[in-house]
Amino acid sequence: MTNNPNVVISESKSSINMAITVTVSNSSIFQATAQKPPAGPSSTTGGGYISISRSTKLVQQPDGRARIKTWVDSMRASSPSRIKPTPSLSDHDHDNNSSWMLHHPSALDMFDQIIDASKGKQIVMFLDYDGTLSPIVDDPDRAFMSDAMRKTVKTVARSFPTAIVSGRRRDKVYGFVRLGELYYAGSHGMDIKGPTKDSNYKKCTQSVLFQPASEFLPMIDQVYKELVEKTKSTPGAKVENNKFCLSVHYRCVEEKKWSELAQQVKSVLKDFPQLRLTQGRKVLEIRPTIKWDKGKALEFLLESLGFNNCSDVFPVYIGDDRTDEDAFKIIRERGQGFGILVSKFPKETSASYSLREPSEVMNFLQRLAEWKKRSILPLPGQCQM
Ligand SMILES: O=P(O)(O)OC[C@H]1O[C@H](O[C@H]2O[C@H](CO)[C@@H](O)[C@H](O)[C@H]2O)[C@H](O)[C@@H](O)[C@@H]1O
């Protein structure tokens, strides 16, 4: 995707006023401040509040009970499968659904309009992995992508610069996707690497582009060990080491144990104010407080491609998670391209369009690749020089 995929950019250092900031809709859950030595290129700063949504803030209780309740509330809120299935939707639910679909229509239904808007511009594809290219499953180590999806992504990557942007560690998501011609932004964009022809992907360190949180590696490893130890008494809990960030999965934890798990995570994190907690789909995500996310990764990749100040670029970002909202927002702010949210349920989002599930994502990608193929073929009767 870049003119020079072999460039290595190191992070700049600045002193940071650490904060753990969490909003549920955009997902910071827990906030505390502390002064710490330099740890990253930039930082968030914060006061002592927790926030359930962009508009709702709670004052912290000294004993932390309100905070745990807020965590558990937001863990529930991030479990949309709890919503009743469509056949039993009430009139009110139907109205909500229809109104949401008016604002976020299906990208398949709007395919021609999307293509029209992209005319004369370079489409650049950004694809989230879990829940977008692969269906959500109980075991995060078995979230395999189908061969049909892999073939489709390969075809798309031949037509447009394409990046996978995932919360997972980069080598793990590469292990699922197994396509060397793509860009990969792992650890929520904190580990970016360009295309490689080398079949041994891990050894090809020359094409690493950006790792803005490398100073956090020892801390992340330490917190990983502590979380594994602390949560082992909670059946079903699973801690995943995503290199520059961590995931604490509660998909397989009984709901009555969620509060206990939140308490365990909180008790570890209290000693690490340099880390913040965000939420995904039945997962608590822990990452450095640096101002870097999937949106920044999108901007970085566009810049690497030479599209920073261009009016003729058309980024399309497809994702299902709260962490993808950072990228949807950037796309909106740039006024270029579109975000597409993968969801069966109405959700607050900055995406413009929606798709219901990975099979629809595949369908959309196939149509996009077919359109591109047709658009470069000569018209019938037209001579090729
Ligand atoms: O940015 P993504 O590629 O969407 O990664 C976000 C998290 O995805 C994975 O967890 C999610 O998918 C699992 C497998 O389907 C599922 O079991 C889990 O409940 C989901 O949250 C991944 O395991 C996490 O590390 C990523 O942060």
Side-chain angles (χ1 to χ4, degrees):
M1 275 173 70
T2 180
N3 297 334
N4 181 6
N6 295 327
V7 58
V8 179
I9 301 173
S10 63
E11 62 182 310
S12 62
K13 295 178 183 174
S14 64
S15 80
I16 64 174
N17 188 11
M18 301 297 174
I20 299 177
T21 314
V22 189
T23 52
V24 170
S25 34
N26 204 11
S27 3
S28 288
I29 305 169
F30 170 50
Q31 174 152 347
T33 55
Q35 297 291 330
K36 280 280 157 183
S42 56
S43 70
T44 53
T45 56
Y49 62 84
I50 40 181
S51 137
I52 298 189
S53 71
R54 272 188 276 258
S55 55
T56 315
K57 288 174 187 161
L58 293 180
V59 175
Q60 268 186 25
Q61 299 300 307
D63 62 4
R65 272 175 304 175
R67 205 157 52 202
I68 288 296
K69 186 175 177 310
T70 306
W71 281 31
V72 176
D73 285 348
S74 70
M75 286 160 85
R76 288 204 183 94
S78 73
S79 312
S81 56
R82 293 162 54 83
I83 297 168
K84 286 190 193 104
T86 313
S88 55
L89 285 181
S90 65
D91 286 351
H92 177 256
D93 290 333
H94 271 301
D95 289 349
N96 272 349
N97 252 336
S98 322
S99 141
W100 190 81
M101 285 303 289
L102 272 181
H103 291 100
H104 309 284
S106 162
L108 286 168
D109 294 346
M110 301 299 282
F111 186 79
D112 292 342
Q113 286 87 333
I114 293 174
I115 291 303
D116 277 351
S118 76
K119 288 259 163 72
K121 298 178 181 164
Q122 172 65 58
I123 293 179
V124 184
M125 293 302 300
F126 296 90
L127 304 168
D128 168 54
Y129 183 73
D130 289 279
T132 297
L133 298 182
S134 68
I136 292 292
V137 293
D138 283 350
D139 182 354
D141 294 336
R142 301 192 59 79
F144 303 115
M145 164 182 184
S146 69
D147 287 342
M149 182 65 99
R150 183 171 300 102
K151 195 171 156 210
T152 303
V153 174
K154 193 178 172 79
T155 316
V156 163
R158 283 199 187 129
S159 309
F160 315 103
T162 301
I164 305 291
V165 187
S166 174
R168 289 188 185 257
R169 57 188 297 147
R170 182 170 46 78
D171 54 356
K172 195 161 176 182
V173 74
Y174 178 80
F176 284 130
V177 179
R178 288 186 275 120
L179 294 172
E181 53 269 63
L182 308 182
Y183 268 58
Y184 288 85
S187 307
H188 294 293
M190 289 181 283
D191 189 6
I192 300 181
K193 190 174 182 192
T196 175
K197 293 273 177 248
D198 194 322
S199 55
N200 191 345
Y201 187 77
K202 278 188 214 166
K203 282 195 180 155
C204 207
T205 49
Q206 277 311 297
S207 64
V208 169
L209 285 181
F210 198 44
Q211 292 186 332
S214 48
E215 285 183 39
F216 286 89
L217 273 180
M219 186 187 293
I220 294 286
D221 278 343
Q222 184 187 345
V223 174
Y224 170 70
K225 285 182 197 135
E226 289 188 23
L227 281 172
V228 169
E229 185 57 31
K230 188 68 87 175
T231 60
K232 71 181 183 199
S233 58
T234 303
K238 183 178 172 90
V239 188
E240 192 181 5
N241 191 335
N242 288 329
K243 189 164 181 176
F244 296 105
C245 51
L246 301 166
S247 294
V248 181
H249 293 275
Y250 57 92
R251 182 167 298 278
C252 297
V253 175
E254 272 185 276
E255 197 170 327
K256 62 179 184 210
K257 295 270 184 188
W258 287 5
S259 152
E260 179 184 303
L261 182 66
Q263 185 68 54
Q264 290 163 345
V265 173
K266 186 196 144 201
S267 70
V268 172
L269 286 191
K270 73 175 184 347
D271 297 328
F272 298 92
Q274 308 91 317
L275 301 178
R276 66 184 166 125
L277 185 81
T278 58
Q279 279 210 355
R281 295 177 72 171
K282 294 203 176 159
V283 66
L284 299 170
E285 317 217 57
I286 293 143
R287 49 174 150 162
T289 51
I290 61 168
K291 273 191 184 157
W292 195 266
D293 52 36
K294 289 181 171 184
K296 297 275 185 211
L298 177 142
E299 286 183 312
F300 177 87
L301 286 165
L302 288 176
E303 191 172 337
S304 304
L305 275 167
F307 288 124
N308 202 28
N309 295 314
C310 290
S311 55
D312 57 357
V313 64
F314 196 87
V316 175
Y317 188 108
I318 311 182
D320 70 317
D321 220 337
R322 283 176 180 167
T323 56
D324 298 311
E325 291 297 327
D326 296 316
F328 295 150
K329 261 188 239 138
I330 293 291
I331 287 181
R332 263 195 194 269
E333 279 163 25
R334 292 175 72 103
Q336 293 174 318
F338 293 118
I340 302 175
L341 176 71
V342 184
S343 178
K344 287 185 175 159
F345 311 104
K347 279 184 189 169
E348 191 188 339
T349 181
S350 297
S352 303
Y353 297 109
S354 63
L355 290 167
R356 288 176 59 80
E357 55 199 358
S359 63
E360 288 200 357
V361 173
M362 189 164 82
N363 193 345
F364 178 81
L365 295 177
Q366 281 165 348
R367 285 180 69 180
L368 206 57
E370 277 159 21
W371 164 80
K372 178 70 179 179
K373 199 170 151 195
R374 275 200 313 274
S375 69
I376 53 176
L377 285 176
L379 294 171
Q382 197 178 29
C383 293
Q384 268 188 299
M385 300 296 283

